[in-house]
Amino acid sequence: MTWKNVTTALAVIGGAFIIYVGLSYLFAPQTTASGFGLPTWPQQDGKAFLAVKGVRDIATGLVIFALLLTGHRKALGWAMLAITFVPAGDMVVVLSNDGSAGTAYGVHGFTAAAVAVTAGLLLRERPAPSSAPTTAGPAARKTSRTADPALNR
């Protein structure tokens, strides 16, 4: 298995997981919210804030898949590095609001670290070597010249 396969798998897992979390916040907001780590959650009209979190999470996953599917792996690495701010920020919010330290570090901190590692691996990827030789011989140079006869002197 190559590093490219590993980073692709990590990106797919991350994208799929955050879309699942987002859908959970949209379809079962109160149940899902209890696992976020904060001591209390909005009730009744406050459910709209949980839906906002769900939409944010789905959009995050879709960005990952869009960049992965279009082959923009370097951009995916930079996007995932930026996305690291979301779980890191969630961790800080949980900790600064008397939330569960275990959830803050175990869920949000771990997620931030996993996303940052995946971003780092993506950014370290090197383009695959081409199958064409890097130094072309005289025949290859002659055939690769422009069709303009004036340039072939």
Side-chain angles (χ1 to χ4, degrees):
M1 181 179 283
T2 67
W3 277 112
K4 186 174 182 178
N5 292 343
V6 170
T7 55
T8 298
L10 290 172
V12 167
I13 290 167
F17 180 72
I18 199 61
I19 288 174
Y20 165 77
V21 170
L23 290 170
S24 297
Y25 272 96
L26 289 177
F27 294 113
Q30 292 298 333
T31 304
T32 306
S34 65
F36 191 81
L38 290 174
T40 60
W41 280 96
Q43 301 295 321
Q44 309 327 333
D45 291 338
K47 288 181 183 180
F49 287 103
L50 300 178
V52 167
K53 182 194 176 334
V55 170
R56 173 195 80 172
D57 289 347
I58 293 169
T60 300
L62 292 175
V63 166
I64 291 170
F65 283 122
L67 291 170
L68 189 61
L69 291 172
T70 58
H72 293 93
R73 298 181 70 80
K74 187 69 76 172
L76 174 60
W78 286 112
M80 290 189 76
L81 189 60
I83 289 169
T84 301
F85 180 78
V86 174
D90 291 347
M91 180 181 71
V92 170
V93 168
V94 170
L95 290 172
S96 63
N97 285 281
D98 299 321
S100 164
T103 302
Y105 294 118
V107 173
H108 305 296
F110 174 79
T111 300
V115 173
V117 165
T118 302
L121 290 172
L122 283 159
L123 291 171
R124 289 181 50 122
E125 281 184 359
R126 299 289 177 242
S130 66
S131 58
T134 55
T135 56
R141 280 194 298 270
K142 185 170 184 145
T143 59
S144 68
R145 289 188 179 154
T146 309
D148 183 355
L151 295 175
N152 283 330
R153 292 184 209 170

